[in-house]
Amino acid sequence: MTRVGHPDVAEPPRRDMFSNARVVGDQFFLSGMHAGGPDGPVGGDDTHAQAVETFRRVRALTEACGASVDDIVVLRIYVTDIADKAAVGRARSAVFSGDFPCSTLVEVSALVEPGLSVEVEAQGFLPEAAPAAD
């Protein structure tokens, strides 16, 4: 197992608690990403803006793992208000195209920090290594 980070995605408050991303064999796993920041959520109370930031972090960590968003096979999306699913969907559509990942979207009563309205977990497979040149 390899712990993976990205300079544009804050590490967990306690590194001994969890990892933002891990590569295990040919798979990668991302913890729930959200738009939390030191001064509150990036995007304030605008769920679409929070979702854009959240997916930016998902992309950054996925690329740090050695993959692209096209290599994500499953997303788990948590929202604090199911009425915001269209706003999250717009942000998601700006990131994914072609064969979309499998996905679950559920409403939850709260996320880890006050004011957060969306969180996204992702997992996928690393692309196959290019054949060695002769």
Side-chain angles (χ1 to χ4, degrees), residues 51 54-55 74-80 82 85 88-89 92 96 102-108 111 117-122:
T54 298
F55 283 113
V74 66
L75 294 171
R76 287 175 215 67
I77 304 172
Y78 307 94
V79 294
T80 56
I82 201 71
K85 69 182 180 179
V88 173
R92 178 189 162 147
F96 298 97
C102 299
S103 184
T104 298
L105 185 143
V106 296
E107 181 182 66
V108 296
L111 295 171
S117 57
V118 61
E119 185 167 328
V120 177
E121 287 180 80

Side-chain angles (χ1 to χ4, degrees), residues 19-33:
S19 300
N20 278 342
R22 288 279 184 145
V23 171
V24 182
D26 63 351
Q27 296 182 63
F28 62 93
F29 302 86
L30 274 55
S31 291
M33 292 291 106

Side-chain angles (χ1 to χ4, degrees), residues 24-103:
V24 182
D26 63 351
Q27 296 182 63
F28 62 93
F29 302 86
L30 274 55
S31 291
M33 292 291 106
H34 53 70
D39 299 321
V42 173
D45 62 358
D46 180 328
T47 297
H48 178 260
Q50 285 192 34
V52 167
E53 174 62 15
T54 298
F55 283 113
R56 184 197 68 76
R57 294 176 186 190
V58 167
R59 180 189 300 271
L61 285 169
T62 297
E63 291 173 356
C65 287
S68 76
V69 293
D70 292 336
D71 298 310
I72 295 173
V73 295
V74 66
L75 294 171
R76 287 175 215 67
I77 304 172
Y78 307 94
V79 294
T80 56
D81 185 345
I82 201 71
D84 290 333
K85 69 182 180 179
V88 173
R90 284 194 319 275
R92 178 189 162 147
S93 293
V95 174
F96 298 97
S97 61
D99 286 335
F100 297 98
C102 299
S103 184

